[in-house]
Amino acid sequence: MSPGTSVVVGYDGSEESERALAWAAEEAALRRLPLTVCHAWHWPYPVTYIDHEGTAIVRRMGQHVLDHGVSLARALRPGLKVHGRLLDGPAHAALVHAAADAEVIVVGGRDEPAPGSTALRLPEHADRPVVVVRPAGRRSGEIVAGADGSAAGDAALGFAFEEAALRGRCVRAVYGCWEPGAGGGRDLALFHDADAVRRERGALLERAVAPWLAKYPQVDARTSLVVEPPRKALLDAAQTAALVVVGDRGTGGFDALRLGTTSGTVLRYAPCAVAVVPSLRAGRPSGRE
């Protein structure tokens, strides 16, 4: 994935979107990128009932919401380059299209997002990292990354270390290694011996983290091997975290699912901000950087 040219945030005038706007403005400033504030409007009736005058009114209302978001972002971060973009259509689809060259997409979400909400649908479809900012999220604390040796886990580690370097935070790489149903053959047999699981999975975790430690020596990082299912391990770690970073799917995902079960559970129930990073972002550093 090529580096992005901006940070994109979805804004609809709600309190949740104002929190997302503040996060995104800080993210853009730290990354030295412009901020693109997006608002998606749409005519709420079937096309057969379209009213051109009414549509123009609805569009103008959307433009007013967008203008307010742009003004708010500029007030939050004076000197930051802020652009507004009015989008047409369902928010998640419009944001995916608008963020084709974004570095990060930021949206607001409730403590437990409703089924079908933008906070849940956007990470399923985006090919860029999506940060969902929560109302009760902490402004301080460590950055937790879900690590399991998969490409998605590697993508999560890379994003977590990058965020930690930008924000001066520490990283905790968490591997919930007790998931017998996700493996087969030798992996399944391994779960008859908890000590063997700890040895093998612990070594895997250290190998996964090592390249990122080499690339970001300024980041204070630790590993945490938890003999629990990954969902429980990450949700427990999220209780004191500022951000939890997960890949779109791990070693136990089903191909038919756009988002892995662990990632989906963390996205729904973590009390802090959650970043979902697509696997195509994966790629370990060479160690010579």
Side-chain angles (χ1 to χ4, degrees):
M1 180 188 298
S2 58
T5 58
S6 68
V7 172
V8 167
V9 60
Y11 180 77
D12 63 6
S14 65
E15 290 184 7
E16 290 85 1
S17 70
E18 288 187 0
R19 294 186 187 93
L21 191 72
W23 180 290
E26 181 181 18
E27 187 79 15
L30 290 170
R31 292 179 179 270
R32 300 181 180 181
L33 292 172
L35 176 66
T36 301
V37 182
C38 297
H39 174 68
W41 74 280
H42 69 281
W43 179 250
Y45 301 104
V47 68
T48 52
Y49 296 99
I50 196 163
D51 177 334
H52 294 291
E53 183 178 350
T55 300
I57 293 172
V58 174
R59 191 181 191 283
R60 284 199 300 273
M61 292 171 64
Q63 185 66 54
H64 289 321
V65 172
L66 175 62
D67 291 344
H68 182 265
V70 169
S71 296
L72 182 58
R74 287 173 175 161
L76 287 169
R77 290 281 167 172
L80 180 67
K81 291 183 179 180
V82 182
H83 309 289
R85 188 168 177 185
L86 189 63
L87 310 175
D88 183 6
H92 78 279
L95 282 169
V96 168
H97 179 73
D101 62 348
E103 184 71 9
V104 184
I105 312 170
V106 185
V107 293
R110 298 178 180 178
D111 286 327
E112 292 187 14
S117 65
T118 301
L120 293 182
R121 299 190 71 184
L122 181 60
E124 291 183 341
H125 299 279
D127 64 355
R128 302 281 159 169
V130 175
V131 176
V132 178
V133 181
R134 291 278 159 69
R138 298 163 56 95
R139 296 297 296 169
S140 61
E142 62 190 0
I143 295 176
V144 169
D148 60 4
S150 67
D154 206 47
L157 283 170
F159 187 83
F161 270 86
E162 184 179 30
E163 283 290 303
L166 289 170
R167 297 174 178 271
R169 303 283 177 83
C170 61
V171 170
R172 180 183 173 195
V174 175
Y175 186 2
C177 65
W178 195 262
E179 196 175 21
R186 180 183 177 278
D187 281 346
L188 186 58
L190 183 69
F191 287 94
H192 291 291
D193 185 341
D195 289 335
V197 171
R198 290 188 183 93
R199 286 193 302 272
E200 181 163 318
R201 297 303 195 240
L204 186 154
L205 176 58
E206 296 299 327
R207 289 196 302 271
V209 172
W212 300 106
L213 286 170
K215 181 174 182 179
Y216 296 98
Q218 76 275 32
V219 172
D220 181 18
R222 62 192 178 104
T223 58
S224 182
L225 185 75
V226 183
V227 187
E228 295 280 0
R231 283 167 283 183
K232 183 178 188 308
L234 287 169
L235 288 175
D236 286 348
Q239 300 304 312
T240 56
L243 174 68
V244 174
V245 186
V246 292
D248 51 3
R249 64 177 63 253
T251 56
F254 295 97
D255 290 340
L257 298 176
R258 290 191 178 98
L259 205 62
T261 53
T262 296
S263 303
T265 300
V266 172
L267 185 59
R268 285 174 174 83
Y269 301 116
C272 61
V274 177
V276 180
V277 186
S279 301
L280 56 84
R281 187 184 169 96
R284 295 188 181 186
S286 64
R288 298 187 297 271
E289 301 178 41

